Amino acid sequence: MNDMAKNLILWLVIAAVLLTVFNNFSVDSSPQSMNYSQFVQQVQNQQVRSVTIDGYTISGERTDGSMFQTIRPAAEDPKLIDDLLSNNVTVVGKEPEQQSLWTRLLIASFPILLILAIFMFFMRQMQGGGAGKGGPMSFGKSKAKLLSQDQIKTTFADVAGCDEAKEEVEELVDFLRDPTKFQRLGGTIPRGVLMVGPPGTGKTLLAKSIAGEAKVPFFSISGSDFVEMFVGVGASRVRDMFEQAKKQAPCIIFIDEIDAVGRSRGVGMGGGNDEREQTLNQLLVEMDGFEANEGIIVIAATNRPDVLDPALMRPGRFDRQVVVPLPDIRGREHILNVHLRKVPLADDVKPMLIARGTPGFSGADLANLVNEGALFAARRNKRLVGMDELEMAKDKIMMGAERRSMVMTEKEKLNTAYHESGHAIIGLVMPEHDPVYKVTIIPRGRALGVTMFLPEQDRYSLSRQQIISQICSLFGGRLAEEMTLGPNGVTTGASNDIKRATELAHNMVAKWGLSEEMGPIMYDEDESHQFMGGPGQGGKLKSGETISRLDKEVRKVIDGCYEQAREILADNRDKLDAMAEALMKYETIDATQLKDIMEGRDPRPPEGWDDPSGGAPVGDDTHAGAESPRDEPEQVDGDEEDDDEPRRRPSDPLGGPAGS
């Protein structure tokens, strides 16, 4: 409720109280009332001494001194005055009351004033306050939130996993603390710093830590806060924001998601937007125009630098681009250490093992992992978060939540076991393929089963052999179904596997130049720029003969991988049956059990498994000397329930972890 409404309610309460007091303490001196007939009779009997006529009201005094009052009828009585005078009654006339000029003006203008008051009230309500805080006269006021140096507690110690980005911005802190150090040598600090990186990598946190280290005011605003339905409002807000910043200089202005207002002007499908373009023009002028903005550093963040206007990216505006990438294995370990400080940990927690198993995770993903681990520990009524809970949280994020309540027939479970065993065996046999981390037939997310592979280290590119090995392993599930159920028994569970294998084969031929027949030529060009404000060239035109050759070469790659995978499964049919049997028994098997199966031994039971025949649970000592199943999970193949898109790791050019 705003001040106007509060004042109105207060005056109404005061008026009600005063009216009640006056009514209670007023003296009851009203004269005796009588009807008009009695009044006339008393006049004729000479019982009335004097009367006062006020319109229809007649009041007076009797000869005995008592007071009276009566109301004459609306009908005229021409004999009344004669009767009064003939009976020696003193007659007094009262002048009619007339309203003052101001009163009449007030009454006449009251409806207009009421309408204006209602209009102002609703305008204040919509704008959220008075004239100085989003009131009806402040459409053009900046919506930037100001945080003083005392309110910002974030420092570089709270930011991990982006050491290079921190080094890039450390000199900003030095400049804000001691600008003469740079000015002495004629150097100027960058006016604008553009932070670029995937979502969740800590761009906003890094910008806030700069203000926390430098101990300067920090203005924070989103790019969408500038744009309104009224043309010119955004430009006015930009001007007001920089005017406020000049008063607080040296300071930092942080614009999050600047692509909402900084897209290329007048390019792309549907033309430009006048309001957004005027806002961008004003931002360009404020950052590098006639007036200098000394001591003001603009920091912006976006994950779409390809759509920004070239005028915004030139030197003098955003002089420096700071890339905040997904963290590597060492960065993930540091980020986990930051977030694990906030939860009570058991002694068995090893952040390095978790970091190795989470390639492609951003800082936000790792924070979510720690939080999920804490929730798992709380459900188990534990006081400490252990490694088991963090591993469960990692599997849930990467593969989806377990759906143990899902009812599957034994036939469906057996088919899923063979499907996942086909993926795993080919992944174990093919050269340069990532090691297998875990195989499960427990439904997770929207997949009926999952096979997860573990790269031995962070990977940024793939060889031709690695791609061929991936395509072969993708066809392993379908081939296992075909070998066990026959050609007519193959299910639709491999639909996503086929889609991904086809994409890999097509990219090998048309994008990556890995086909001898087609040569090192790029046949597919990026067609997205014409929709993102970039160059408007479409895809490269190809002749019908070229398209036919591309299709034949893709089919050749697919057929070669399919036959190679078939031979591998045929040579390892006994291992396929043994692995499917182990999955039906244990539901989930890890790298140690897979190694036992591939070496012709019976797989040892997993840790903590109760043998129905009466055996005791098997501990960690049974796994001595085996490969550690905790490594960096890279790719997940599953017997799909439908055609859902896989989860992708941005650092992997081929897609990374994919759940099915």
Side-chain angles (χ1 to χ4, degrees), residues 338-394:
V338 171
H339 293 296
L340 288 173
R341 292 200 302 257
K342 305 174 184 178
V343 297
L345 296 179
D347 295 335
D348 62 341
V349 174
K350 297 179 180 179
M352 185 59 186
L353 292 180
I354 303 174
R356 293 180 61 195
T358 52
F361 272 44
S362 65
D365 292 328
L366 294 172
N368 185 38
L369 186 150
V370 174
N371 181 63
E372 289 287 346
L375 295 179
F376 275 120
R379 292 172 193 162
R380 295 179 170 186
N381 296 321
K382 290 187 174 182
R383 294 185 178 181
L384 300 176
V385 179
M387 195 67 179
D388 288 341
E389 288 76 30
L390 294 175
E391 286 287 340
M392 292 172 62
K394 182 184 68 176

Side-chain angles (χ1 to χ4, degrees), residues 585-602:
K585 182 177 182 180
Y586 301 124
E587 291 188 328
T588 300
I589 56 178
D590 57 20
T592 304
Q593 296 164 296
L594 291 171
K595 183 178 180 181
D596 291 340
I597 294 173
M598 298 304 293
E599 293 178 355
R601 301 192 302 268
D602 291 336

Side-chain angles (χ1 to χ4, degrees), residues 362-625:
S362 65
D365 292 328
L366 294 172
N368 185 38
L369 186 150
V370 174
N371 181 63
E372 289 287 346
L375 295 179
F376 275 120
R379 292 172 193 162
R380 295 179 170 186
N381 296 321
K382 290 187 174 182
R383 294 185 178 181
L384 300 176
V385 179
M387 195 67 179
D388 288 341
E389 288 76 30
L390 294 175
E391 286 287 340
M392 292 172 62
K394 182 184 68 176
D395 291 345
K396 177 182 178 181
I397 294 173
M398 299 193 70
M399 298 185 294
E402 292 184 354
R403 294 191 295 167
R404 292 186 177 273
S405 60
M406 183 177 180
V407 179
M408 293 177 60
T409 64
E410 288 298 315
K411 181 179 179 181
E412 288 175 328
K413 290 181 64 176
L414 182 61
N415 182 52
T416 302
Y418 272 106
H419 184 105
E420 302 305 328
S421 299
H423 286 310
I425 289 175
I426 296 180
L428 291 167
V429 173
M430 286 297 296
E432 298 187 34
H433 199 286
D434 298 319
V436 180
Y437 159 65
K438 183 181 292 184
V439 183
T440 180
I441 60 172
I442 298 174
R444 283 182 173 271
R446 306 191 70 174
L448 301 180
V450 176
T451 301
M452 180 177 287
F453 301 98
L454 293 165
E456 296 176 349
Q457 59 186 358
D458 282 347
R459 185 182 61 211
Y460 303 98
S461 61
L462 294 177
S463 66
R464 188 177 189 277
Q465 180 58 58
Q466 289 174 323
I467 301 172
I468 293 295
S469 298
Q470 280 199 22
I471 296 175
C472 290
S473 66
L474 286 169
F475 285 126
R478 177 186 172 89
L479 284 168
E481 292 183 13
E482 186 177 329
M483 293 175 63
T484 56
L485 301 176
N488 293 329
V490 176
T491 67
T492 60
S495 59
N496 191 256
D497 296 333
I498 295 173
K499 176 183 176 182
R500 292 164 56 200
T502 305
E503 289 177 352
L504 287 174
H506 179 82
N507 290 338
M508 283 179 60
V509 175
K511 285 188 177 182
W512 299 327
L514 299 178
S515 168
E516 295 181 2
E517 174 68 22
M518 303 306 296
I521 301 175
M522 184 178 217
Y523 294 94
D524 289 349
E525 293 186 4
D526 189 4
E527 302 178 8
S528 60
H529 285 294
Q530 58 180 319
F531 301 101
M532 296 181 183
Q537 82 277 4
K540 183 177 179 181
L541 296 178
K542 298 182 285 290
S543 65
E545 180 183 355
T546 301
I547 295 175
S548 178
R549 291 174 59 200
L550 285 172
D551 291 340
K552 289 180 181 179
E553 190 65 17
V554 172
R555 180 60 185 267
K556 179 181 176 181
V557 173
I558 294 291
D559 289 344
C561 294
Y562 198 82
E563 290 304 320
Q564 188 175 358
R566 186 195 299 275
E567 293 177 3
I568 293 174
L569 286 184
D571 295 340
N572 295 274
R573 177 59 190 266
D574 57 335
K575 298 179 178 61
L576 179 67
D577 294 332
M579 193 175 297
E581 181 181 352
L583 284 172
M584 291 295 292
K585 182 177 182 180
Y586 301 124
E587 291 188 328
T588 300
I589 56 178
D590 57 20
T592 304
Q593 296 164 296
L594 291 171
K595 183 178 180 181
D596 291 340
I597 294 173
M598 298 304 293
E599 293 178 355
R601 301 192 302 268
D602 291 336
R604 64 198 78 181
E607 178 185 357
W609 185 75
D610 293 327
D611 190 350
S613 61
V618 181
D620 286 340
D621 55 332
T622 61
H623 297 264

